[in-house]
């Protein structure tokens, strides 16, 4: 694949990811002000031919009524049950608009991180969201990291949802600071160690609209410490630096602020 096409794909992915992670429903309009909150990641499932996510398997906590459906699942953070987090099922969902619409059902996880949405009217639903603790951030269970999915709930059946793994948005990058203007060469990225992190992944993403380019050598680089040296000159323009923390089981624990930018100046 030509290098310029690779760069386009990377740029498109990160742009969509930024939008998706900050999208919100009618109860998430203040998300942009909650920089130290978090988002949710759900286990991906491939959609069926009609675009619906198939049910998983499991043991019913409670059988639904003959004319109703149940939705059952779990939520974790750092491989531990996430207790008391809100789970919401939406009949309609506009990722870039007002969010949840139509019929909706809400519950919370128990001490085991398990939840059960009961007495749901059968039909097709467009979103299943899991809130990150007491923050306004959430992401819906999808066929991937970004695109919304549909859930076909049948009468008298329990739908087993994808397992959700929460990760927070509070990893602190020490250098460079948000809004910094830096020279093309010699960039040293540093961040504060994150509790229970076994390693990190660093990405330097260029905003093509500013003339910056994304070098694939600096996308998803694993780092075992808390610093990373960019050993090639960066093009002039605007960049975003992403640092993600993972535990020893490869579960994502936290990410840095996706909205902060730096500027690389022309020349030396």
């Amino acid at each position: 694949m030509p290098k310029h096409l690779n760069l386009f794909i990377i740029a498109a992915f990160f742009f969509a990811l930024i939008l998706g992670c900050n999208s919100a429903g009618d109860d998430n309009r203040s998300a942009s002000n909650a920089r130290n909150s978090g988002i949710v990641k759900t286990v991906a499932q491939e959609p069926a031919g009609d675009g619906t996510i198939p049910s998983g398997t499991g043991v019913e906590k409670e059988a639904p009524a003959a004319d109703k459906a149940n939705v059952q699942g779990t939520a974790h953070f750092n491989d531990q049950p996430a207790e008391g987090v809100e789970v919401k099922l939406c009949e309609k969902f506009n990722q870039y608009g007002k969010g949840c619409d139509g019929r909706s059902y809400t519950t919370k996880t128990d001490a085991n991180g398990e939840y059960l949405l009961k007495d749901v009217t059968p039909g097709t639903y467009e979103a299943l969201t899991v809130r990150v603790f007491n923050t306004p951030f959430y992401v819906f269970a999808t066929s991937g990291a970004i695109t919304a999915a549909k859930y076909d709930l049948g009468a008298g059946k329990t739908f087993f949802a994808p397992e959700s793994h929460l990760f927070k948005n509070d990893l602190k990058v020490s250098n460079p600071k948000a809004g910094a203007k830096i020279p093309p060469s010699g960039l040293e990225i540093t961040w504060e160690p994150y509790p229970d992190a076994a390693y990190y992944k660093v990405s330097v993403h260029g905003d093509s609209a500013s003339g910056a380019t994304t070098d694939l050598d600096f996308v998803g680089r694993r780092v075992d410490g808390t610093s990373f040296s960019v050993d090639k000159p960066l093009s002039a323009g605007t960049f975003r630096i992403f640092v993600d923390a993972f535990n020893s089981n490869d579960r994502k624990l936290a990410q840095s602020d996706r909205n902060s930018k730096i500027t690389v100046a022309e020349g030396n």
Side-chain angles (χ1 to χ4, degrees), residues 7 11 205-215 234-239 262 264:
L7 297 179
H205 171 63
D207 179 1
S208 59
S210 72
T213 58
T214 300
D215 189 324
L234 296 174
S235 59
T238 301
F239 287 82
I262 62 170
V264 175

Side-chain angles (χ1 to χ4, degrees), residues 129-147:
T129 68
V130 185
R131 187 176 297 279
V132 179
F133 303 106
N134 295 321
T135 76
F137 282 83
Y138 61 80
V139 166
F140 41 85
T142 68
S143 58
I146 302 165
T147 309

Side-chain angles (χ1 to χ4, degrees), residues 142-157:
T142 68
S143 58
I146 302 165
T147 309
K150 296 179 181 179
Y151 306 86
D152 189 13
L153 308 183
K157 297 181 179 180

